[in-house]
Amino acid sequence: MFIYPKMYRKLRRGPQVILPKDIGIILSYSGVNKNSVCVDAGTGSGWLAVSLARVAKQVYSYDLREDFLKIAEHNKISLGLDNLELKQGDVFKKIDEKNVDIVTLDLPGAEKALRNVKKALVPDGMVVGYMPHMEQVKKYAMKLESLGFVEVHTVEVIVRDLLVRKEGVRPTNTGLWHTAYLVFARKGTSYGGTNTVQGKAV
Amino acid sequence: MFIYPKMYRKLRRGPQVILPKDIGIILSYSGVNKNSVCVDAGTGSGWLAVSLARVAKQVYSYDLREDFLKIAEHNKISLGLDNLELKQGDVFKKIDEKNVDIVTLDLPGAEKALRNVKKALVPDGMVVGYMPHMEQVKKYAMKLESLGFVEVHTVEVIVRDLLVRKEGVRPTNTGLWHTAYLVFARKGTSYGGTNTVQGKAV
Amino acid sequence: MFIYPKMYRKLRRGPQVILPKDIGIILSYSGVNKNSVCVDAGTGSGWLAVSLARVAKQVYSYDLREDFLKIAEHNKISLGLDNLELKQGDVFKKIDEKNVDIVTLDLPGAEKALRNVKKALVPDGMVVGYMPHMEQVKKYAMKLESLGFVEVHTVEVIVRDLLVRKEGVRPTNTGLWHTAYLVFARKGTSYGGTNTVQGKAV
Amino acid sequence: MFIYPKMYRKLRRGPQVILPKDIGIILSYSGVNKNSVCVDAGTGSGWLAVSLARVAKQVYSYDLREDFLKIAEHNKISLGLDNLELKQGDVFKKIDEKNVDIVTLDLPGAEKALRNVKKALVPDGMVVGYMPHMEQVKKYAMKLESLGFVEVHTVEVIVRDLLVRKEGVRPTNTGLWHTAYLVFARKGTSYGGTNTVQGKAV
């Protein structure tokens, strides 16, 4: 029932992929555009990495596993992308790039990358965490705040299909309603302004 | 409670805008990228037009109302975009462009533009309709099918905020859960292949 | 993934049943209680009828089809209910009962029963319609308003499962998110007071 | 935008109340009926207690605070209920009743009541916890499992309003989408049968 946009139908799937529903919100909420430099980790099947590369100036994507990087390499080639560099490496230890606009993290213990992420980002840069469980979200968000990131904001994206037929319109009976939470945050600016919104109960 | 991505905070709002939650899904499901040529109508405040222009090669956005085009012009300038052409014109009468990759429609009676949309699109091009009510969706989707568009697919995007605090994690109590439905469709290919998915009840 | 309350596991299913998620909201929004007299149509497998009978003083349930009434009879007996009368009959033609507190309608063209429903109800009585498609909801709600019913209110009930495990808490990946819309309405009081809430856009 | 069923409009609100959307699912999933004996804690404004009493044979509701019990007493009287006993007491220390069919818990640290709940319940009895945060759900569910409760099942109830008007049908723009999670569980039967469903990832 879920339609993959045409581009995604060319792609191979190895490890669990990030789906277009989450990729879309990452694109619009992070504000990635033709001038953006992005770092992505872990690569996995590379669906997010190639989606970013179709929009951004340059994307660097890290994974520890060579087999995953091969799948991503296949996907990169089938889309003809030349601005995506796939790197075997550990972002917990080091992020080579500087002046990065957007970092995306989809790996267990993502909070352990946040110190390196902060160093890699431009003053106003954004980091996006993708994590299935609320415990991870909490640990990660607390770490973001302790490191001075601002505008920490967590969402869950639900794309609900509507069945449109002559005999009647209604939502589909069943659907996909959870993949992961997305945690957005912005690096603290030099003047230290914080405008965290998560502190207010709604 | 809703966080606008930083880019959007610079933008003026005149008429009702399309929000980043819907823009994101339009971006990822339409597959817009650096090589894309887009047509957008109506411009309104231009939020979707500028979002597309930050990603696409070239965007043309039509509106009948000069006052709206002025707001959009302001938004275009504040983002420094030079690949967005704002045009006063009626897409029900004419779409000047050819070989367009993606057309986005946010106007009453959008189905009346579909013949011109079909002419403007590349063989594989996509059209996205944005419409608040189910009746509009039905009329529009039926028109798409009668004109031979394929992969007609309607969704509703819900971005749910999570409140992440030391004292506990939970969804916010209230939230935005409807703006409009998004109807995606692809121009029928020359060999006439249809793979409409909406025909199957789920 | 969906847990039926223990009672429901004893029940047979013939035609499509109304599920506990919708039954619960019918119970609490209709205010059915130990003093209530209810009319239900069509019976179908009788899940709603037996659920009402476990709470109400007396329930009458109509269906045209004998085979459905047999399934419902089985379900009635297996729960040991003696306050549920299963009747073969057509509520479009006649509802025998008077001074009914609550009427529930789950049948195609339910609006055709509304004149009889109005006669059967106490001045303050409620009618609940169960209908999958929005076109039915609209036709039915318009009919309710033209007949002077008040407090017309349509909802969709989503019961989302949470996966709670040592390794993490998260919503289940997929779930049931549409069965039918529930349309609640109250018979107009003698002084003709209307306080329809659907007129206000929100 | 939210319609309270008529009964609820008579009720006073002191402390935070449990709403009809959650009460409905408690009614249908717990299977409460005319033969049921229920224990409820804490009473709060008594909305759940009176809702149970309108359906059950007998309800006992505990609260520590006299001021809350007074509000609940008012609500009990305005509905003319004589099968609801409001008790000042601490369920963490003692539950006086035996052979209870259903226990409902809406209090901080609800898991601390579970040993007493288990003693109070019939072999097949159900306990329902109402808790806003995921951390509470996890702690509570883990305690349920360690005490041998079975069929531990957590849900979140979303009742979405539909705006039905001549000019078009659509969901309301905003709405209530979180109050609390509901955790259902059944006392382990003497033969120790467990059929926990939460163990399976979906």
Side-chain angles (χ1 to χ4, degrees), chain A residues 5-41:
Chain A
K6 189 160 188 185
M7 173 198 112
Y8 294 96
R9 289 178 234 159
K10 296 187 188 171
L11 302 182
R12 281 199 195 149
R13 288 177 81 140
Q16 183 86 28
V17 297
I18 299 186
L19 293 178
K21 79 170 179 72
D22 294 304
I23 289 173
I25 300 304
I26 293 172
L27 295 178
S28 65
Y29 278 47
S30 73
V32 57
N33 63 78
K34 284 181 279 185
N35 303 315
S36 307
V37 174
C38 305
V39 165
D40 169 61

mmCIF file of all heavy atoms in Angstrom, chain A residues 5-41:
data_model
loop_
_atom_site.group_PDB
_atom_site.id
_atom_site.type_symbol
_atom_site.label_atom_id
_atom_site.label_comp_id
_atom_site.label_asym_id
_atom_site.label_seq_id
_atom_site.Cartn_x
_atom_site.Cartn_y
_atom_site.Cartn_z
ATOM 1 N N PRO A 5 8.414 6.596 -3.880
ATOM 2 C CA PRO A 5 8.667 7.480 -5.019
ATOM 3 C C PRO A 5 9.582 6.754 -6.001
ATOM 4 O O PRO A 5 10.370 5.889 -5.609
ATOM 5 C CB PRO A 5 9.377 8.667 -4.379
ATOM 6 C CG PRO A 5 8.935 8.642 -2.951
ATOM 7 C CD PRO A 5 8.736 7.190 -2.607
ATOM 8 N N LYS A 6 9.462 7.096 -7.257
ATOM 9 C CA LYS A 6 10.121 6.345 -8.315
ATOM 10 C C LYS A 6 11.616 6.120 -8.052
ATOM 11 O O LYS A 6 12.132 5.030 -8.224
ATOM 12 C CB LYS A 6 9.937 7.077 -9.641
ATOM 13 C CG LYS A 6 10.410 6.244 -10.797
ATOM 14 C CD LYS A 6 9.830 6.692 -12.101
ATOM 15 C CE LYS A 6 10.216 5.650 -13.148
ATOM 16 N NZ LYS A 6 9.792 6.044 -14.471
ATOM 17 N N MET A 7 12.263 7.174 -7.604
ATOM 18 C CA MET A 7 13.689 7.081 -7.330
ATOM 19 C C MET A 7 14.019 5.918 -6.400
ATOM 20 O O MET A 7 14.980 5.189 -6.594
ATOM 21 C CB MET A 7 14.141 8.391 -6.682
ATOM 22 C CG MET A 7 15.560 8.366 -6.193
ATOM 23 S SD MET A 7 15.781 9.734 -4.987
ATOM 24 C CE MET A 7 16.004 8.782 -3.470
ATOM 25 N N TYR A 8 13.190 5.743 -5.365
ATOM 26 C CA TYR A 8 13.506 4.739 -4.357
ATOM 27 C C TYR A 8 13.352 3.319 -4.878
ATOM 28 O O TYR A 8 13.923 2.385 -4.336
ATOM 29 C CB TYR A 8 12.625 4.941 -3.117
ATOM 30 C CG TYR A 8 12.934 6.233 -2.410
ATOM 31 C CD1 TYR A 8 12.188 7.380 -2.643
ATOM 32 C CD2 TYR A 8 14.007 6.317 -1.526
ATOM 33 C CE1 TYR A 8 12.476 8.573 -2.008
ATOM 34 C CE2 TYR A 8 14.312 7.505 -0.881
ATOM 35 C CZ TYR A 8 13.541 8.639 -1.126
ATOM 36 O OH TYR A 8 13.835 9.813 -0.493
ATOM 37 N N ARG A 9 12.568 3.183 -5.955
ATOM 38 C CA ARG A 9 12.351 1.827 -6.475
ATOM 39 C C ARG A 9 13.598 1.267 -7.144
ATOM 40 O O ARG A 9 13.708 0.081 -7.363
ATOM 41 C CB ARG A 9 11.176 1.832 -7.450
ATOM 42 C CG ARG A 9 9.858 2.032 -6.715
ATOM 43 C CD ARG A 9 8.707 2.074 -7.685
ATOM 44 N NE ARG A 9 7.945 3.302 -7.480
ATOM 45 C CZ ARG A 9 7.134 3.847 -8.376
ATOM 46 N NH1 ARG A 9 6.986 3.280 -9.560
ATOM 47 N NH2 ARG A 9 6.483 4.945 -8.106
ATOM 48 N N LYS A 10 14.539 2.149 -7.471
ATOM 49 C CA LYS A 10 15.807 1.681 -8.045
ATOM 50 C C LYS A 10 16.778 1.187 -6.977
ATOM 51 O O LYS A 10 17.811 0.616 -7.287
ATOM 52 C CB LYS A 10 16.510 2.849 -8.754
ATOM 53 C CG LYS A 10 15.778 3.410 -9.948
ATOM 54 C CD LYS A 10 16.686 4.441 -10.626
ATOM 55 C CE LYS A 10 15.949 5.195 -11.712
ATOM 56 N NZ LYS A 10 16.740 6.317 -12.227
ATOM 57 N N LEU A 11 16.475 1.473 -5.736
ATOM 58 C CA LEU A 11 17.472 1.280 -4.684
ATOM 59 C C LEU A 11 17.424 -0.107 -4.070
ATOM 60 O O LEU A 11 16.358 -0.679 -3.884
ATOM 61 C CB LEU A 11 17.272 2.328 -3.590
ATOM 62 C CG LEU A 11 17.346 3.797 -4.042
ATOM 63 C CD1 LEU A 11 17.190 4.720 -2.843
ATOM 64 C CD2 LEU A 11 18.643 4.082 -4.776
ATOM 65 N N ARG A 12 18.583 -0.608 -3.712
ATOM 66 C CA ARG A 12 18.666 -1.868 -2.974
ATOM 67 C C ARG A 12 18.478 -1.606 -1.485
ATOM 68 O O ARG A 12 18.806 -0.545 -0.980
ATOM 69 C CB ARG A 12 20.041 -2.510 -3.181
ATOM 70 C CG ARG A 12 20.144 -3.207 -4.504
ATOM 71 C CD ARG A 12 21.293 -4.207 -4.511
ATOM 72 N NE ARG A 12 21.568 -4.574 -5.911
ATOM 73 C CZ ARG A 12 22.745 -4.904 -6.374
ATOM 74 N NH1 ARG A 12 23.808 -4.950 -5.553
ATOM 75 N NH2 ARG A 12 22.906 -5.219 -7.635
ATOM 76 N N ARG A 13 17.976 -2.617 -0.808
ATOM 77 C CA ARG A 13 17.822 -2.565 0.648
ATOM 78 C C ARG A 13 18.668 -3.626 1.286
ATOM 79 O O ARG A 13 18.481 -4.806 1.020
ATOM 80 C CB ARG A 13 16.383 -2.875 1.048
ATOM 81 C CG ARG A 13 15.407 -1.815 0.727
ATOM 82 C CD ARG A 13 14.004 -2.250 1.104
ATOM 83 N NE ARG A 13 13.777 -2.062 2.525
ATOM 84 C CZ ARG A 13 12.626 -1.606 3.033
ATOM 85 N NH1 ARG A 13 11.615 -1.310 2.251
ATOM 86 N NH2 ARG A 13 12.486 -1.455 4.327
ATOM 87 N N GLY A 14 19.594 -3.241 2.120
ATOM 88 C CA GLY A 14 20.310 -4.207 2.932
ATOM 89 C C GLY A 14 19.752 -4.074 4.336
ATOM 90 O O GLY A 14 18.667 -4.551 4.629
ATOM 91 N N PRO A 15 20.467 -3.376 5.206
ATOM 92 C CA PRO A 15 19.930 -3.128 6.539
ATOM 93 C C PRO A 15 18.712 -2.211 6.429
ATOM 94 O O PRO A 15 18.479 -1.584 5.399
ATOM 95 C CB PRO A 15 21.071 -2.404 7.249
ATOM 96 C CG PRO A 15 21.929 -1.833 6.173
ATOM 97 C CD PRO A 15 21.787 -2.759 5.004
ATOM 98 N N GLN A 16 17.952 -2.200 7.478
ATOM 99 C CA GLN A 16 16.772 -1.337 7.630
ATOM 100 C C GLN A 16 17.021 0.042 7.010
ATOM 101 O O GLN A 16 18.041 0.661 7.261
ATOM 102 C CB GLN A 16 16.530 -1.165 9.136
ATOM 103 C CG GLN A 16 15.313 -0.375 9.510
ATOM 104 C CD GLN A 16 14.079 -1.262 9.568
ATOM 105 O OE1 GLN A 16 14.168 -2.454 9.841
ATOM 106 N NE2 GLN A 16 12.932 -0.673 9.295
ATOM 107 N N VAL A 17 16.073 0.505 6.209
ATOM 108 C CA VAL A 17 16.263 1.811 5.564
ATOM 109 C C VAL A 17 15.422 2.893 6.240
ATOM 110 O O VAL A 17 14.456 2.599 6.926
ATOM 111 C CB VAL A 17 15.882 1.754 4.071
ATOM 112 C CG1 VAL A 17 16.793 0.782 3.338
ATOM 113 C CG2 VAL A 17 14.414 1.377 3.895
ATOM 114 N N ILE A 18 15.826 4.121 6.027
ATOM 115 C CA ILE A 18 14.991 5.258 6.421
ATOM 116 C C ILE A 18 14.036 5.521 5.268
ATOM 117 O O ILE A 18 14.451 5.595 4.113
ATOM 118 C CB ILE A 18 15.853 6.493 6.730
ATOM 119 C CG1 ILE A 18 16.809 6.170 7.901
ATOM 120 C CG2 ILE A 18 14.974 7.694 7.078
ATOM 121 C CD1 ILE A 18 17.621 7.351 8.395
ATOM 122 N N LEU A 19 12.769 5.629 5.562
ATOM 123 C CA LEU A 19 11.747 5.707 4.518
ATOM 124 C C LEU A 19 11.491 7.144 4.070
ATOM 125 O O LEU A 19 11.732 8.094 4.820
ATOM 126 C CB LEU A 19 10.445 5.086 5.029
ATOM 127 C CG LEU A 19 10.503 3.575 5.278
ATOM 128 C CD1 LEU A 19 9.169 3.092 5.836
ATOM 129 C CD2 LEU A 19 10.825 2.826 3.998
ATOM 130 N N PRO A 20 10.943 7.287 2.866
ATOM 131 C CA PRO A 20 10.634 8.621 2.327
ATOM 132 C C PRO A 20 9.807 9.487 3.268
ATOM 133 O O PRO A 20 9.945 10.699 3.255
ATOM 134 C CB PRO A 20 9.854 8.295 1.046
ATOM 135 C CG PRO A 20 10.384 6.972 0.614
ATOM 136 C CD PRO A 20 10.693 6.220 1.879
ATOM 137 N N LYS A 21 8.933 8.891 4.071
ATOM 138 C CA LYS A 21 8.141 9.711 4.988
ATOM 139 C C LYS A 21 9.042 10.435 5.980
ATOM 140 O O LYS A 21 8.814 11.606 6.308
ATOM 141 C CB LYS A 21 7.071 8.884 5.709
ATOM 142 C CG LYS A 21 7.558 8.060 6.886
ATOM 143 C CD LYS A 21 6.389 7.462 7.681
ATOM 144 C CE LYS A 21 6.883 6.619 8.854
ATOM 145 N NZ LYS A 21 7.447 7.391 9.971
ATOM 146 N N ASP A 22 10.064 9.762 6.470
ATOM 147 C CA ASP A 22 10.977 10.414 7.415
ATOM 148 C C ASP A 22 12.000 11.275 6.680
ATOM 149 O O ASP A 22 12.373 12.343 7.147
ATOM 150 C CB ASP A 22 11.670 9.355 8.284
ATOM 151 C CG ASP A 22 10.684 8.636 9.186
ATOM 152 O OD1 ASP A 22 9.979 9.308 9.959
ATOM 153 O OD2 ASP A 22 10.593 7.397 9.115
ATOM 154 N N ILE A 23 12.441 10.812 5.523
ATOM 155 C CA ILE A 23 13.392 11.593 4.726
ATOM 156 C C ILE A 23 12.792 12.956 4.385
ATOM 157 O O ILE A 23 13.450 13.988 4.480
ATOM 158 C CB ILE A 23 13.777 10.812 3.444
ATOM 159 C CG1 ILE A 23 14.656 9.613 3.817
ATOM 160 C CG2 ILE A 23 14.503 11.736 2.451
ATOM 161 C CD1 ILE A 23 14.952 8.663 2.657
ATOM 162 N N GLY A 24 11.514 12.959 4.012
ATOM 163 C CA GLY A 24 10.866 14.215 3.652
ATOM 164 C C GLY A 24 10.920 15.235 4.774
ATOM 165 O O GLY A 24 11.264 16.401 4.571
ATOM 166 N N ILE A 25 10.603 14.791 5.967
ATOM 167 C CA ILE A 25 10.593 15.727 7.094
ATOM 168 C C ILE A 25 12.023 16.128 7.462
ATOM 169 O O ILE A 25 12.274 17.278 7.857
ATOM 170 C CB ILE A 25 9.819 15.130 8.295
ATOM 171 C CG1 ILE A 25 8.359 14.840 7.876
ATOM 172 C CG2 ILE A 25 9.869 16.055 9.510
ATOM 173 C CD1 ILE A 25 7.584 16.020 7.311
ATOM 174 N N ILE A 26 12.968 15.228 7.315
ATOM 175 C CA ILE A 26 14.378 15.607 7.512
ATOM 176 C C ILE A 26 14.754 16.697 6.511
ATOM 177 O O ILE A 26 15.375 17.699 6.866
ATOM 178 C CB ILE A 26 15.304 14.378 7.380
ATOM 179 C CG1 ILE A 26 15.060 13.402 8.539
ATOM 180 C CG2 ILE A 26 16.777 14.809 7.333
ATOM 181 C CD1 ILE A 26 15.776 12.057 8.409
ATOM 182 N N LEU A 27 14.345 16.538 5.263
ATOM 183 C CA LEU A 27 14.667 17.552 4.243
ATOM 184 C C LEU A 27 14.063 18.908 4.607
ATOM 185 O O LEU A 27 14.744 19.932 4.611
ATOM 186 C CB LEU A 27 14.151 17.119 2.859
ATOM 187 C CG LEU A 27 14.775 15.869 2.222
ATOM 188 C CD1 LEU A 27 14.104 15.559 0.881
ATOM 189 C CD2 LEU A 27 16.292 16.028 2.023
ATOM 190 N N SER A 28 12.781 18.931 4.929
ATOM 191 C CA SER A 28 12.145 20.240 5.111
ATOM 192 C C SER A 28 12.473 20.875 6.457
ATOM 193 O O SER A 28 12.608 22.084 6.554
ATOM 194 C CB SER A 28 10.623 20.143 4.917
ATOM 195 O OG SER A 28 10.027 19.354 5.910
ATOM 196 N N TYR A 29 12.632 20.072 7.488
ATOM 197 C CA TYR A 29 12.915 20.651 8.808
ATOM 198 C C TYR A 29 14.390 21.023 8.963
ATOM 199 O O TYR A 29 14.718 21.919 9.736
ATOM 200 C CB TYR A 29 12.501 19.688 9.921
ATOM 201 C CG TYR A 29 11.036 19.702 10.273
ATOM 202 C CD1 TYR A 29 10.052 19.653 9.281
ATOM 203 C CD2 TYR A 29 10.602 19.751 11.594
ATOM 204 C CE1 TYR A 29 8.703 19.652 9.595
ATOM 205 C CE2 TYR A 29 9.243 19.751 11.918
ATOM 206 C CZ TYR A 29 8.309 19.695 10.914
ATOM 207 O OH TYR A 29 6.975 19.685 11.242
ATOM 208 N N SER A 30 15.260 20.322 8.253
ATOM 209 C CA SER A 30 16.684 20.669 8.367
ATOM 210 C C SER A 30 17.026 21.824 7.430
ATOM 211 O O SER A 30 18.044 22.480 7.594
ATOM 212 C CB SER A 30 17.566 19.465 8.009
ATOM 213 O OG SER A 30 17.528 19.237 6.608
ATOM 214 N N GLY A 31 16.183 22.032 6.439
ATOM 215 C CA GLY A 31 16.440 23.122 5.501
ATOM 216 C C GLY A 31 17.581 22.837 4.532
ATOM 217 O O GLY A 31 18.161 23.749 3.950
ATOM 218 N N VAL A 32 17.905 21.583 4.308
ATOM 219 C CA VAL A 32 18.977 21.231 3.373
ATOM 220 C C VAL A 32 18.658 21.781 1.984
ATOM 221 O O VAL A 32 17.506 21.767 1.547
ATOM 222 C CB VAL A 32 19.178 19.693 3.330
ATOM 223 C CG1 VAL A 32 17.911 18.974 2.948
ATOM 224 C CG2 VAL A 32 20.327 19.324 2.416
ATOM 225 N N ASN A 33 19.686 22.294 1.305
ATOM 226 C CA ASN A 33 19.473 22.865 -0.024
ATOM 227 C C ASN A 33 20.754 22.749 -0.850
ATOM 228 O O ASN A 33 21.737 22.152 -0.398
ATOM 229 C CB ASN A 33 19.013 24.318 0.092
ATOM 230 C CG ASN A 33 20.069 25.184 0.730
ATOM 231 O OD1 ASN A 33 21.045 25.572 0.071
ATOM 232 N ND2 ASN A 33 19.922 25.468 2.031
ATOM 233 N N LYS A 34 20.733 23.333 -2.024
ATOM 234 C CA LYS A 34 21.828 23.142 -2.984
ATOM 235 C C LYS A 34 23.196 23.591 -2.486
ATOM 236 O O LYS A 34 24.224 23.207 -3.043
ATOM 237 C CB LYS A 34 21.506 23.893 -4.281
ATOM 238 C CG LYS A 34 20.468 23.178 -5.115
ATOM 239 C CD LYS A 34 20.199 23.943 -6.381
ATOM 240 C CE LYS A 34 19.227 25.091 -6.089
ATOM 241 N NZ LYS A 34 18.849 25.799 -7.334
ATOM 242 N N ASN A 35 23.209 24.421 -1.442
ATOM 243 C CA ASN A 35 24.482 24.903 -0.911
ATOM 244 C C ASN A 35 24.956 24.125 0.313
ATOM 245 O O ASN A 35 25.981 24.445 0.896
ATOM 246 C CB ASN A 35 24.349 26.382 -0.534
ATOM 247 C CG ASN A 35 23.905 27.211 -1.720
ATOM 248 O OD1 ASN A 35 24.435 27.047 -2.822
ATOM 249 N ND2 ASN A 35 22.920 28.074 -1.512
ATOM 250 N N SER A 36 24.200 23.114 0.712
ATOM 251 C CA SER A 36 24.478 22.443 1.984
ATOM 252 C C SER A 36 25.574 21.388 1.873
ATOM 253 O O SER A 36 25.651 20.640 0.898
ATOM 254 C CB SER A 36 23.223 21.738 2.503
ATOM 255 O OG SER A 36 22.128 22.625 2.573
ATOM 256 N N VAL A 37 26.382 21.326 2.931
ATOM 257 C CA VAL A 37 27.322 20.226 3.120
ATOM 258 C C VAL A 37 26.786 19.371 4.264
ATOM 259 O O VAL A 37 26.480 19.885 5.336
ATOM 260 C CB VAL A 37 28.732 20.750 3.444
ATOM 261 C CG1 VAL A 37 29.681 19.600 3.774
ATOM 262 C CG2 VAL A 37 29.259 21.585 2.285
ATOM 263 N N CYS A 38 26.659 18.066 4.015
ATOM 264 C CA CYS A 38 26.040 17.171 4.996
ATOM 265 C C CYS A 38 26.976 16.038 5.380
ATOM 266 O O CYS A 38 27.743 15.555 4.549
ATOM 267 C CB CYS A 38 24.781 16.530 4.421
ATOM 268 S SG CYS A 38 23.559 17.681 3.805
ATOM 269 N N VAL A 39 26.874 15.628 6.649
ATOM 270 C CA VAL A 39 27.518 14.397 7.100
ATOM 271 C C VAL A 39 26.428 13.461 7.586
ATOM 272 O O VAL A 39 25.507 13.884 8.301
ATOM 273 C CB VAL A 39 28.541 14.674 8.216
ATOM 274 C CG1 VAL A 39 28.929 13.379 8.933
ATOM 275 C CG2 VAL A 39 29.773 15.355 7.639
ATOM 276 N N ASP A 40 26.526 12.202 7.209
ATOM 277 C CA ASP A 40 25.503 11.206 7.534
ATOM 278 C C ASP A 40 26.187 9.986 8.145
ATOM 279 O O ASP A 40 27.221 9.541 7.665
ATOM 280 C CB ASP A 40 24.782 10.821 6.226
ATOM 281 C CG ASP A 40 23.880 9.615 6.359
ATOM 282 O OD1 ASP A 40 22.932 9.675 7.165
ATOM 283 O OD2 ASP A 40 24.114 8.612 5.645
ATOM 284 N N ALA A 41 25.595 9.444 9.231
ATOM 285 C CA ALA A 41 26.149 8.222 9.843
ATOM 286 C C ALA A 41 25.053 7.530 10.626
ATOM 287 O O ALA A 41 24.246 8.214 11.258
ATOM 288 C CB ALA A 41 27.301 8.594 10.797
#
